[in-house]
Amino acid sequence: NMARKDKSLGVDVRIVDTGVLNSKSIKSNTLDYCESFEIYVSTKHNERISDLNFGIRIDASDGSPILSALSGEQDVYISSKKETEVKIKFNGLYLVPGSYFLTCSVRKNGQFIDELIDCLEFEISDVPFEQFKPHNGAWGPVKFFPNWQINGE
């Protein structure tokens, strides 16, 4: 679904493809629980463009936001002649089993120049990835494995 909510979006820079890559860098809409993944966003431009700020958002199937990230938050701005592919790698982000929606955007000077809302649905399966244990049903959309430090005798 590559529909835009506003006809003024996608004119100078247009998102033409997006997807999820599994831990083997293969495009897949289903990931194992605790499998590392990347999101890619491909754009085409009419002319050389600079200082683009790419953004992604992941929402749960009920529409509740899980996370968002902007390349500019890490001082990563993209400049390109005709086309660009950006990959966003998520190490240590473990979404619990379920369905998720991806929104992608491109901004320049704080203004949206393209945005695709809920442009991709992907799923995290109940099957645990490699050495991970199955999901234990604990609350929350994200599973985090902190480093535990135990002091005592």
Side-chain angles (χ1 to χ4, degrees), residues 67-101:
L67 67 86
S68 64
L70 288 169
S71 63
E73 292 174 325
Q74 296 171 276
D75 292 324
V76 176
Y77 294 93
I78 292 88
S79 298
S80 182
K81 290 182 180 175
K82 293 279 186 188
E83 53 189 54
T84 303
E85 182 176 274
V86 175
K87 290 184 180 177
I88 306 102
K89 190 168 188 118
F90 295 92
N91 291 323
L93 173 71
Y94 305 117
L95 299 171
V96 301
S99 292
Y100 298 89
F101 290 93

Side-chain angles (χ1 to χ4, degrees), residues 39-133:
I39 290 173
Y40 72 88
V41 180
S42 297
T43 62
K44 291 196 183 247
H45 331 131
N46 295 330
E47 58 190 39
R48 180 166 183 77
I49 197 145
S50 60
D51 300 322
L52 298 179
N53 189 359
F54 279 69
I56 60 103
R57 187 180 78 225
I58 296 176
D59 295 331
S61 60
D62 67 1
S64 59
I66 305 299
L67 67 86
S68 64
L70 288 169
S71 63
E73 292 174 325
Q74 296 171 276
D75 292 324
V76 176
Y77 294 93
I78 292 88
S79 298
S80 182
K81 290 182 180 175
K82 293 279 186 188
E83 53 189 54
T84 303
E85 182 176 274
V86 175
K87 290 184 180 177
I88 306 102
K89 190 168 188 118
F90 295 92
N91 291 323
L93 173 71
Y94 305 117
L95 299 171
V96 301
S99 292
Y100 298 89
F101 290 93
L102 176 67
T103 294
C104 299
S105 66
V106 181
R107 303 171 196 201
K108 184 173 174 77
N109 299 324
Q111 301 295 313
F112 284 95
I113 54 177
D114 202 6
E115 180 183 40
L116 295 173
I117 298 172
D118 296 342
C119 60
L120 178 74
E121 181 177 8
F122 66 99
E123 180 181 349
I124 306 297
S125 75
D126 288 324
V127 177
F129 184 69
E130 294 179 353
Q131 78 279 9
F132 289 94
K133 296 178 182 176

